[in-house]
Amino acid sequence: SPEQPRPRPMQQVMIDAGRARARELGFRVDVLGLDPATLTAPALGRMLRARGVQGVIFLYSKLTDAANGFPWEHFASAEIDYGSLALSVNTVAIDHHLTLNNALVRLRALGYRKIGLFIERYKDERLLNKWTAAFRSFQELQGGIGDAPLLIETTMTPEAFLAWHRRHKLDLVIGHVDE
């Protein structure tokens, strides 16, 4: 997408794994960007059909309506992670809520008592607020990890992070970082 011109590290891992598996099965994976300003979803669909493409995988960087109008009926298709609030195809995603809950159980068992969560707003929105919901729910219902407020920033900066960390004297922090 225009706001993310290159895949993030975890996305690149998924792309590389998809390419490797496709090769094993006699297929090829190409990566294309979808920017409604220059290439609409219907136009992308027409282009892919003209090239004989049989399947598509949409890998999203944030919630978007960029795929609206894509001709799903002509392709085997899947989404990786959440790209749209209106799921229209099979979607493969990590169970972010359960994953974070299990991590907190293990960290509490290891003796951590003041745990904090930091995340950029768009990432939490893209994950349908599953990280923040899991963290807040754990704090309130299971406890034992302290009561530090979440650090949610539009853009995470070292200054904001360090001020939050110092203010709450955290033993451990959990975050969603790309690098």
Side-chain angles (χ1 to χ4, degrees):
S1 62
E3 72 278 350
Q4 183 194 318
R6 291 183 330 274
R8 293 191 169 97
M10 190 62 208
Q11 291 171 327
Q12 191 59 55
V13 168
M14 288 186 266
I15 292 167
D16 293 344
R19 282 186 169 138
R21 182 65 175 142
R23 271 193 307 275
E24 290 172 9
L25 297 172
F27 293 98
R28 187 180 86 216
V29 171
D30 292 318
V31 177
L32 302 171
L34 181 57
D35 179 0
T38 58
L39 179 65
T40 65
L44 175 63
R46 288 189 300 275
M47 180 185 75
L48 295 175
R49 286 188 73 204
R51 293 181 181 181
V53 172
Q54 299 171 348
V56 294
I57 301 169
F58 280 76
L59 177 61
Y60 296 101
S61 59
K62 69 176 196 171
L63 290 175
T64 179
D65 62 359
N68 285 357
F70 186 80
W72 301 106
E73 67 275 11
H74 297 294
F75 301 93
S77 56
E79 295 178 322
I80 296 178
D81 237 334
Y82 306 102
S84 169
L85 293 175
L87 299 178
S88 56
V89 298
N90 292 324
T91 302
V92 179
I94 295 168
D95 186 340
H96 297 280
H97 192 281
L98 182 63
T99 299
L100 186 55
N101 189 79
N102 289 345
L104 292 169
V105 166
R106 292 175 68 191
L107 293 168
R108 184 180 60 192
L110 289 170
Y112 294 100
R113 295 292 177 257
K114 295 185 83 174
I115 300 174
L117 175 70
F118 69 96
I119 192 166
E120 288 178 311
R121 185 170 311 285
Y122 83 92
K123 291 179 183 178
D124 195 40
E125 289 170 355
R126 183 178 61 83
L127 300 176
L128 306 178
N129 305 105
K130 290 176 185 259
W131 275 45
T132 53
F135 192 84
R136 286 179 173 145
S137 173
F138 196 97
Q139 276 183 322
E140 183 178 326
L141 301 175
Q142 297 187 46
I145 63 166
D147 60 359
L150 302 172
L151 176 61
I152 303 173
E153 296 285 319
T154 300
T155 301
M156 194 61 59
T157 64
E159 296 79 20
F161 175 84
L162 291 171
W164 169 77
H165 187 272
R166 287 184 191 118
R167 185 176 323 113
H168 300 290
K169 299 176 176 61
L170 301 166
D171 297 337
L172 181 127
V173 295
I174 298 171
H176 190 291
V177 294
D178 298 319
E179 304 296 337

